[in-house]
Amino acid sequence: MTVTIETLQQQMDEAVAVLDFETARRCRDMINAMRGGATAAEAEAANFAGLTRQEPGAMGLGTSQQKRTPPAGWRPPPKPDPMTAGRSRRGRAPRS
């Protein structure tokens, strides 16, 4: 039996009706792959486990940029005292 978008849509609707969301997710990803140009065999063999979808609230310019996450337990260093910035330990201003 050949897999078409219509049969996958029907399988997805049946899976949602019985609350089998994993099967529905797999059918949805296969439909998207087939609409993107993949054959039925390629869509069936594809691994969609690593795909993440963009969140609707996070759409817009600059949202695809990665954010740096500091290591666990990291704290930013203390800010320097503005009264002592640019001074040597002896209290004199540095020479130019």
Side-chain angles (χ1 to χ4, degrees):
M1 180 176 149
T2 60
V3 178
T4 63
I5 292 177
E6 290 79 21
T7 58
L8 286 172
Q9 183 70 39
Q10 183 180 7
Q11 289 175 4
M12 184 174 69
D13 293 338
E14 292 170 0
V16 168
V18 295
L19 302 178
D20 185 9
F21 297 115
E22 292 298 319
T23 304
R25 178 188 56 83
R26 176 78 177 150
C27 291
R28 180 201 63 205
D29 291 340
M30 287 176 59
I31 289 170
N32 288 338
M34 290 175 70
R35 285 183 179 159
T39 64
E42 292 172 345
E44 205 165 327
N47 182 10
F48 301 107
L51 294 180
T52 57
R53 301 194 177 275
Q54 190 173 18
E55 297 176 15
M59 293 181 184
L61 294 175
T63 57
S64 62
Q65 297 176 356
Q66 296 180 352
K67 296 179 182 175
R68 295 183 193 156
T69 55
W74 182 84
R75 291 184 333 157
K79 292 186 177 182
D81 185 13
M83 296 298 290
T84 59
R87 299 242 176 226
S88 68
R89 291 186 180 188
R90 295 185 183 163
R92 287 183 269 153
R95 295 182 182 175
S96 319

